[in-house]
């Protein structure tokens, strides 16, 4: 969602002196937009920095999370944001569009950064800040993200639902 904004943000990142990055775009191409995104990457001069993982299997998705330090999403709307929770559970550092769904997931956990991808300079500034933090602070955020993701596990949710039913029937 809003891959065009991601591409523009990463082009701004390269122009500001961060040439050493790789962006992996993963997901389904239901709308047939991939060719346009590839062309935009060429136009922005970052095509050699982009990998595409189209229709990855569950195992491939897990490997993608495990092989990446950051999870970025410019999605303007998320009802829930399962990909964010999966990334957080894999200890990826989230840098995501500020929207209600992502804000509810990250919450007050210090487990990621919410930004506006329409403001490319905000993205560049956030990346610069993260790099300046160094390893310990980044690890702290990644650990918090993984801990926060546990709040959305099926086991925890089942216990919460059982508690609600217990309250309703008086147990």
């Amino acid at each position: 969602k809003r891959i065009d904004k991601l591409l523009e943000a990463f082009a701004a990142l390269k122009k500001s002196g961060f040439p050493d990055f790789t962006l992996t775009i993963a997901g389904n191409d239901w709308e047939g937009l991939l060719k346009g995104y590839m062309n935009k990457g060429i136009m922005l001069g970052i095509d050699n920095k982009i990998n595409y993982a189209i229709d990855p299997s569950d195992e491939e998705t897990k490997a993608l999370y495990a092989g990446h330090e950051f999870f970025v999403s410019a999605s303007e709307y998320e009802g829930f944001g399962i990909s964010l929770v999966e990334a957080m559970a894999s200890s990826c550092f989230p840098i995501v569009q500020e929207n209600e769904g992502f804000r509810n997931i990250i919450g007050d956990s210090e487990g990621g950064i919410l930004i506006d991808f329409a403001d490319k300079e905000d993205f560049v500034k956030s990346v610069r800040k993260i790099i300046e933090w160094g390893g310990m602070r980044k690890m702290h955020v990644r650990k918090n993200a993984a801990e926060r993701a546990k709040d959305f596990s099926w086991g925890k949710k089942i216990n919460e639902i059982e508690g609600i039913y217990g309250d309703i029937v008086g147990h």
Side-chain angles (χ1 to χ4, degrees):
K1 299 174 189 171
R2 293 191 353 151
I3 302 300
D4 58 324
K5 297 294 181 201
L6 279 180
L7 296 171
E8 292 165 5
F10 276 85
L13 189 65
K14 182 180 176 186
K15 285 180 186 171
S16 72
F18 291 98
D20 192 27
F21 65 83
T22 302
L23 172 64
T24 299
I25 297 173
N28 299 309
D29 186 25
W30 292 313
E31 299 176 87
L33 302 173
L34 178 61
K35 186 152 181 75
Y37 295 143
M38 293 173 106
N39 288 335
K40 186 164 187 144
I42 292 168
M43 183 190 78
L44 293 169
I46 60 169
D47 55 304
N48 63 336
K49 300 289 188 182
I50 305 171
N51 297 315
Y52 295 92
I54 307 305
D55 297 321
S57 68
D58 289 344
E59 288 305 311
E60 290 168 328
T61 300
K62 288 177 190 174
L64 286 168
Y65 289 135
H68 288 79
E69 184 176 1
F70 298 97
F71 173 81
V72 294
S73 175
S75 179
E76 201 163 38
Y77 172 79
E78 288 293 331
F80 176 66
I82 189 69
S83 60
L84 173 58
V85 173
E86 290 172 344
M88 291 169 71
S90 299
S91 296
C92 290
F93 186 123
I95 304 172
V96 295
Q97 174 68 37
E98 184 164 3
N99 65 47
E100 185 177 357
F102 288 163
R103 191 171 35 256
N104 288 337
I105 291 169
I106 291 176
D108 296 330
S109 68
E110 293 185 15
I113 294 179
L114 299 165
I115 66 165
D116 180 6
F117 275 88
D119 181 351
K120 292 178 281 300
E121 291 309 311
D122 187 30
F123 175 72
V124 171
K125 199 177 346 175
S126 295
V127 170
R128 189 176 305 279
K129 180 176 19 170
I130 293 164
I131 289 170
E132 289 171 0
W133 284 350
M136 292 303 291
R137 179 96 186 261
K138 284 193 289 188
M139 287 305 297
H140 174 74
V141 173
R142 293 173 73 183
K143 180 179 173 246
N144 287 346
E147 284 299 313
R148 176 68 175 146
K150 290 178 185 177
D151 291 341
F152 300 98
S153 72
W154 282 112
K156 181 162 181 143
K157 291 301 172 192
I158 288 169
N159 288 339
E160 288 176 11
I161 292 168
E162 286 176 346
I164 292 169
Y165 278 119
D167 290 344
I168 291 171
V169 296
H171 290 114

